[in-house]
Amino acid sequence: MARLVVGGGCFWCIEAAMKDLRGVHGVRPGYAGGHVEHPTYEQVCAKRTGHAEVVEFDYDETIIDHATMLRVFFTAHDPTQRNRQGNDVGPQYRSIVFVDGDHERASLETVLGEVAEWYDEGIVTEIEDLNAHPFWAAEAVHHDYFANNPQNPYCGFVVAPKVNKVRAKHAALFER
């Protein structure tokens, strides 16, 4: 089982957009990239911890590879926006990928080259060493938030369009 930890705005969006990919076996929203142990949602949103909202995916590399996971991730958010995604503003919403070793770094660099062609603006995605930054799981209320809160206006206006965009572009990669 391989592991991918990425942040691209609100973790509700990234989780919902990617959780049903064929080969994904575990999905956990959380926090990484900061300096506070066991951060809370309130601390991260108050911008006191240095953490980004991230999602940790466990996936089977024999079914879906690292580069494909990254392509879907970059479809789910705009990597040209520094410390924000639309109206979600702050460093906790930054675009960030945590890599584990040279192979994942090379895979990311290849995908970033492809993604750069999708946008007129430059890519601002941060790249960090996965082993240098612990992952802290988010509170239970944030797990599978989109599925559990369809009545939430944010889910309807922000999360759903991202999920739809990803599923339209990568339909063949999803469980049927």
Side-chain angles (χ1 to χ4, degrees):
M1 203 62 64
R3 179 177 173 217
L4 176 71
V5 178
V6 292
C10 175
F11 48 26
W12 301 340
C13 295
I14 300 300
E15 177 193 43
M18 296 178 64
K19 74 180 188 114
D20 293 326
L21 285 166
R22 197 174 310 116
V24 169
H25 295 286
V27 181
R28 285 166 301 286
Y31 316 106
H35 58 272
V36 172
E37 292 187 7
H38 306 286
T40 66
Y41 183 72
E42 290 74 22
Q43 289 173 317
V44 172
C45 288
K47 305 174 185 100
R48 295 191 310 252
T49 69
H51 289 286
E53 288 190 15
V54 298
V55 181
E56 178 184 63
F57 296 94
D58 294 325
Y59 65 98
D60 183 340
E61 289 179 292
T62 66
I63 298 172
I64 189 167
D65 65 17
H66 186 257
T68 302
M69 291 287 293
L70 289 171
R71 286 183 195 99
V72 175
F73 166 67
F74 283 113
T75 302
H77 82 291
D78 181 350
T80 68
Q81 295 186 358
R82 186 175 308 281
N83 293 331
R84 72 177 307 145
Q85 283 296 297
N87 290 330
D88 291 334
V89 178
Q92 71 273 26
Y93 300 120
R94 66 191 182 269
S95 178
I96 190 166
V97 176
F98 294 87
V99 295
D100 186 10
D102 293 338
H103 175 71
E104 285 190 5
R105 186 172 293 276
S107 173
L108 174 59
E109 294 296 340
T110 298
V111 172
L112 284 172
E114 296 170 19
V115 171
E117 295 179 13
W118 302 354
Y119 296 96
D120 294 329
E121 302 294 322
I123 305 296
V124 297
T125 302
E126 295 178 14
I127 303 168
E128 294 289 342
D129 180 358
L130 178 63
N131 298 310
H133 298 280
F135 170 86
W136 304 99
E139 299 82 352
V141 68
H142 299 293
H143 296 244
D144 216 15
Y145 190 87
F146 179 64
N148 292 328
N149 296 278
Q151 77 291 351
N152 182 314
Y154 184 90
C155 290
F157 292 113
V158 179
V159 183
K162 291 182 181 193
V163 170
N164 294 337
K165 177 183 175 186
V166 166
R167 286 185 176 256
K169 184 167 185 167
H170 302 286
L173 299 174
F174 285 89
E175 301 290 341
R176 302 220 188 277

